[in-house]
Amino acid sequence: MTADPPVRLAQPADAGDIAAMSRDLIERGLPWTWRRDRVLAAIRDPDTNVAVIRVDGALVAFGIMEYLEADAYLSLLAVRGTSQRSGFGRSLLRWLEASARVAGARRIRLEARRDNVPARTFYNELGYHEVAIRHGRYSDGVDGVLLEKWLRTSPAP
């Protein structure tokens, strides 16, 4: 792991790399929906944080978190295969969690494919709890697992 990987907000120039990584790592075998224009819209959306980690100019990790009324929703999080298990995902998620706290979110919700055991284990180890199964959620018939992590239980001041 690198010491304190440099997490930063994405810039419009990052959109193509993020879209390609989503296609290759998250949406593999599914219809590709997070194309460059959708990522660019998320980067420009004031209710969404798109965070990236680049090392030597190469995108190694990204996350997209949307802020809803009282909750945050982690839409996507990916780490390039050669950089997995190096702490990048953990650092990125911690950064996004800190941002959600500052934004006043009471919890973070996300969904993972039921057959993606490494992702579910990753989130479980970081305090996310599996709360529901969404049968046939994905276009290939795979179930989704809804996970959540409570950041606070009392209303924001």
Side-chain angles (χ1 to χ4, degrees):
M1 170 166 167
T2 62
D4 298 322
V7 179
R8 67 165 173 83
L9 287 173
Q11 300 297 315
D14 295 312
D17 289 344
I18 292 168
M21 188 182 278
S22 178
R23 178 196 62 219
D24 296 344
L25 299 178
I26 299 171
E27 299 179 90
R28 185 181 59 242
L30 301 170
W32 183 26
T33 63
W34 281 92
R35 295 176 182 265
R36 183 188 172 282
D37 288 345
R38 184 175 180 192
V39 173
L40 189 57
I43 290 170
R44 292 179 173 155
D45 183 347
D47 294 323
T48 302
N49 274 346
V50 181
V52 297
I53 297 175
R54 285 189 176 272
V55 174
D56 298 327
L59 181 66
V60 296
F62 77 90
I64 300 177
M65 184 171 291
E66 300 173 58
Y67 298 95
L68 310 172
E69 288 187 29
D71 294 338
Y73 184 77
L74 183 62
S75 301
L76 298 175
L77 187 128
V79 177
R80 190 161 307 284
T82 56
S83 298
Q84 290 178 358
R85 294 176 182 79
S86 299
F88 292 112
R90 181 179 299 264
S91 293
L92 185 58
L93 187 56
R94 294 291 188 218
W95 190 95
L96 289 165
E97 288 174 354
S99 297
R101 281 186 183 90
V102 169
R106 63 182 179 156
R107 72 177 162 185
I108 297 172
R109 302 183 96 189
L110 65 99
E111 185 174 301
R113 290 173 59 99
R114 192 174 194 176
D115 61 358
N116 190 346
V117 175
R120 291 171 56 198
T121 300
F122 169 78
Y123 291 116
N124 290 157
E125 288 174 353
L126 293 173
Y128 289 78
H129 302 282
E130 298 182 2
V131 296
I133 303 287
R134 295 185 174 170
H135 297 286
R137 173 77 165 102
Y138 295 91
S139 61
D140 58 358
V142 173
D143 297 339
V145 177
L146 180 65
L147 296 99
E148 65 182 26
K149 179 177 184 175
W150 285 89
L151 304 175
R152 61 181 173 80
T153 55
S154 60

